[in-house]
Amino acid sequence: MTSSTLPTGLADATRDEASLRRFLHGLPGVDQVGVEQRAAGLATRSIKKAAKLWAIDTAISMVDLTTLEGADTRGKVQALAAKARRPDPDRPDTPRVAAVCVYPDLAATAVQAVAGSGIEVASVATAFPSGRSARSIKLADVALAVDSGAGEVDMVIDRGAFLEGRYGEVFEEIQEIKAACGEAHLKVILETGELATYDNVRRASWLALLAGGDFIKTSTGKVSPAATLPVTHVMLQAVRDWYTTTGELRGVKPAGGIRTTKDAIRYLVAVHEVAGEEWLTPRLFRFGASSLLNDLLLQRRTQLDGHYSGPDYLTLD
Amino acid sequence: MPAFDYAPAPESRDIANLKPSYRPFIGGEFVPGSGEPLKTLNPATEEVLAEVGTASAADVDTAVQAARKAYERTWSKMPGAERAKYIFRIARLIQERSRELAVLESLDNGKPIKESRDADVPTAAAHFFYHAGWADKLDYAGLGPDPRPLGVAGQIIPWNFPLLMLAWKIAPALATGNTVVLKPAETTPLTALVFAEICQQAELPPGVVNIVPGAGDTGAEIVNHPDVDKIAFTGSTEVGKLIQRSVAGTRKKLTLELGGKAANVVFDDAPLDQAVEGIVNGIFYNQGHVCCAGSRLLAQESVVDELLAKLRYRVSTLRLGDPLDKNTDIGAINSAEQLAKIRELAESGEAEGAQRWTSSCPVPDRGFFFAPTVFSGVQQSMRIAREEIFGPVLSVLTFRTPDEAVAKANNTPYGLSAGIWTEKGSRILWMANQLRAGVVWANTFNRFDPAAPFGGYQESGFGREGGRTGLEAYLHG
């Protein structure tokens, strides 16, 4: 179960099931009242004019433009990819998004559609969204995504195993999937709405970081509550603490339920003040969202034109 | 990639309706006041905000007479339910004029607008609402079968929470049927005089509330006036002692709420990130101008390094500057004198061998500002561990065992507040019983509610304000 690249103290933490449990339960607790109060306090920072425009452009460049429906078609994915390349066709200076996020069977279509644009293709593998399948099937799912050319894999953890306290199993599964990813970046979805407590969110974050996840991600978007500010605060503290301990920078991705520019800016303020300035880049922070992009574009136009325009001036997807 | 620069978002100072001059409020009228007028400054810019008339000895006497007349003829005779109507009206008017009061408070005091807007003014209104509710229920407060008011209350308040301290003093006095002569602090008299306008708007009978601005000599006139029945003072321990000496041997009742040097105790099993928030809130709230500030951090040795690293990072994100800017976390020090005191004590910390760390946040060229500072390696014997600094300066000490934490926390002549950070409920209860402090916060800090009594032990004073207990200070049982 050991991981060779970790500093000694942390490598010991993953020696066996018992030491992993001791380590995770030895992490400082999270006080619910305190973290929610801090999140609410930071949400009142006033971001206007130049700062707002900067925030909007930064947020656009961090979007993982997502479609995860049973009814997804190649046509839908191609439209999404076109939107990702040129989010606002009337304004070519609009930054492109970070990635498009699709199911594994559509990864090949997406790869083809974004070719040459620098946009990544992210694919949700591992029996997304429930994660309830055999390890072999999850690995096959990952293989399909990676073989199709996806540069990023979004996996879900086995929440059942986590809640039963079988941390070692969750750890090993993440490690195996990380290995199966090869060069692809691994985002580990904790599905924080099902983990229920902030203490669990912190433990799951560390578990994912210990096992080699490049990103920790809040939610699949299929469970309510999805991303919340306080949960994201806890995860940002985890990557900051990870950096302090190991010197490695890992990313955070809130996903699901972030629909407005105002919301997105609140997350950016949290990134800035909780984790630090270094994280204000698409390499280390992403928004998993589908409808957020259009609100960002609308607000961007408002900032530039000085008046509101309507949703009909933007493309649907 | 450029840095994330927040846009300045200053409140307009026009909202404060600042007038060039303000006058004392006596017997329901604004009067010239025959004392030497004083100028009140904006501590963030050092500009003169307004000229304020002060009360001479004769004016204080007039104010006490007006209060006596109002007490005897109307206020103490009025049924509690009627008094309540006036107090409710005052509470609502504070809410209606809350933006004006918040901006004025930040201009005059230097505190960040987000604190005056989100804490000071709403809590001041809440104190009037809460005490209005008590006015007709005093017989059921458990303070004797027929509680009666004391008479004329002389009240002297400090500059750190000008409007809020006024509310803490005036609301219970009025609810219990007393009338009031209140002296706001020399450097922050403006919101008290706007409060006087609110009393007029509420059609409070003349003389029930009198506001007499001035310096220490005006305060002394109130304290020594033979026709004052009760003195309530919030301020420095030094002045508190003087007042106690003057009042000794008279029939006057006295409550004192004085300085503090609170211990904020962090155990190794604490929720560290939230403890850091609590530490920041405990000492950097209101620029550390808080008598119950958690100015001594007692950290368990096993986590002190981790805690300090997190704390320094967090403090480095605090934004210092224009108090009217919504993004400002730390505003201006209230006066040049106070800034000099803070500097002198901080220098003594360095001279005595503590390690000084100061946030590298930009500090404005003009105005009275002091960057948030954390001293580590502080020993119990150093001045910065014993004396109240009353500024954004934290002293960090360490301990090994719970008993040692209790011993160090209690090893102070003060005893206003304390904080405990641990995930162990039994330890919270055990500690709270051991700590000699008027308020003990667990896994939080600086939380206030009109229903919660507040007050001190030892040199932090005596008597309680707020809650059912707070009524006692204004009643004969």
Side-chain angles (χ1 to χ4, degrees), chain A residues 28-31 34-35 37-38 45-48 51 54 202 237 240-241 269 272-277 280, chain B residues 1-9 114 270-274 277 306 310 313-314 317 319 327 329 423 443 447:
Chain A
V30 183
D31 185 81
V35 74
Q37 195 179 311
R38 162 97 163 121
R45 291 290 197 213
S46 166
I47 314 295
K48 300 191 295 195
W54 184 85
R202 170 163 291 179
Q237 278 156 0
R240 166 128 207 121
D241 291 342
V269 170
H272 184 215
E273 297 203 32
V274 178
E277 232 168 24
L280 280 170
Chain B
M1 192 171 282
F4 194 176
D5 287 324
Y6 302 162
K114 72 171 183 190
L272 285 187
D273 291 294
Q274 286 73 49
E277 291 307 310
E306 190 181 350
K310 280 176 180 283
Y313 174 71
R314 174 70 177 92
T317 67
R319 301 165 68 92
N327 293 316
D329 297 315
E423 292 264 280
N443 290 337
R447 302 260 99 197

Side-chain angles (χ1 to χ4, degrees), chain B residues 400-477:
Chain B
R400 295 162 298 179
T401 63
D403 286 324
E404 190 181 351
V406 169
K408 279 188 167 166
N410 285 340
N411 183 211
T412 168
Y414 295 109
L416 204 47
S417 68
I420 308 166
W421 297 84
T422 171
E423 292 264 280
K424 206 171 257 210
S426 57
R427 188 184 279 151
I428 291 174
L429 297 174
W430 177 81
M431 282 286 285
N433 274 331
Q434 309 286 313
L435 292 171
R436 286 198 303 270
V439 185
V440 179
W441 283 293
N443 290 337
T444 189
F445 212 90
N446 272 347
R447 302 260 99 197
F448 298 97
D449 190 282
F454 183 89
Y457 277 64
Q458 306 184 101
E459 295 216 357
S460 290
F462 46 77
R464 292 292 179 266
E465 296 185 288
R468 194 187 59 83
T469 325
L471 299 170
E472 209 174 331
Y474 288 93
L475 289 169
H476 289 295

Side-chain angles (χ1 to χ4, degrees), chain B residues 18-19 37 40 237 268 342 352 355 358-359 372 417 445 458 466:
Chain B
L18 193 64
K19 291 178 288 195
T40 189
T237 296
D268 57 7
I342 297 169
E352 291 185 24
Q355 285 88 55
T358 298
S359 169
S417 68
F445 212 90
Q458 306 184 101

Side-chain angles (χ1 to χ4, degrees), chain B residues 80-368:
Chain B
E82 287 301 307
R83 284 202 307 274
K85 290 183 191 171
Y86 287 101
I87 305 171
F88 273 124
R89 211 179 285 163
I90 290 172
R92 289 195 304 269
L93 285 163
I94 291 176
Q95 288 184 324
E96 270 173 34
R97 299 179 68 169
S98 59
R99 279 190 80 197
E100 173 194 353
L101 287 164
V103 174
L104 189 61
E105 194 80 313
S106 284
L107 279 175
D108 202 18
N109 171 278
K111 65 177 66 204
I113 184 74
K114 72 171 183 190
E115 289 175 8
S116 53
R117 182 196 60 196
D118 299 346
D120 293 40
V121 178
T123 315
H127 271 268
F128 281 97
F129 278 119
Y130 173 80
H131 283 97
W134 270 121
D136 61 350
K137 302 176 193 71
L138 298 172
D139 292 349
Y140 314 105
L143 304 170
D146 178 27
R148 279 163 298 110
L150 301 173
V152 176
Q155 307 182 318
I156 299 164
I157 56 169
W159 48 260
N160 57 341
F161 291 93
L163 185 71
L164 185 58
M165 290 300 106
L166 172 146
W168 281 29
K169 294 276 183 292
I170 292 185
L174 297 193
T176 47
N178 299 274
T179 56
V180 166
V181 177
L182 177 135
K183 185 191 90 66
E186 195 180 351
T187 58
T188 56
L190 300 185
T191 43
L193 296 166
V194 172
F195 177 81
E197 285 177 28
I198 288 173
C199 293
Q200 282 186 328
Q201 257 182 297
E203 294 174 7
L204 194 69
V208 173
V209 168
N210 303 274
I211 311 279
V212 289
D217 50 341
T218 312
E221 292 297 335
I222 297 175
V223 170
N224 295 321
H225 197 289
D227 207 20
V228 167
D229 302 291
K230 189 234 155 62
I231 297 293
F233 172 77
T234 296
S236 71
T237 296
E238 193 189 336
V239 177
K241 285 179 180 173
L242 286 175
I243 292 176
Q244 195 174 4
R245 278 195 200 99
S246 318
V247 170
T250 70
R251 62 185 172 79
K252 289 175 196 168
K253 273 199 154 191
L254 176 67
T255 47
L256 296 174
E257 201 266 87
L258 310 173
K261 192 74 188 171
N264 206 355
V265 183
V266 179
F267 286 96
D268 57 7
D269 67 340
L272 285 187
D273 291 294
Q274 286 73 49
V276 165
E277 291 307 310
I279 295 161
V280 166
N281 184 35
I283 185 62
F284 299 118
Y285 183 71
N286 202 38
Q287 299 73 248
H289 301 331
V290 184
C291 48
C292 55
S295 52
R296 282 186 300 149
L297 171 61
L298 295 180
Q300 193 150 13
E301 282 182 9
S302 47
V303 288
V304 67
D305 293 337
E306 190 181 350
L307 187 68
L308 270 177
K310 280 176 180 283
L311 181 66
R312 286 183 187 132
Y313 174 71
R314 174 70 177 92
V315 176
S316 70
T317 67
L318 290 173
R319 301 165 68 92
L320 178 135
D322 179 6
L324 287 189
D325 188 333
K326 290 174 193 169
N327 293 316
T328 294
D329 297 315
I330 298 190
I333 302 298
N334 184 246
S335 64
E337 295 73 42
Q338 187 58 31
L339 182 58
K341 273 190 210 167
I342 297 169
R343 283 190 177 141
E344 193 267 320
L345 271 158
E347 276 155 26
S348 86
E350 277 179 293
E352 291 185 24
Q355 285 88 55
R356 179 180 186 152
W357 176 91
T358 298
S359 169
S360 57
C361 64
V363 178
D365 301 331
R366 283 211 309 165
F368 313 131

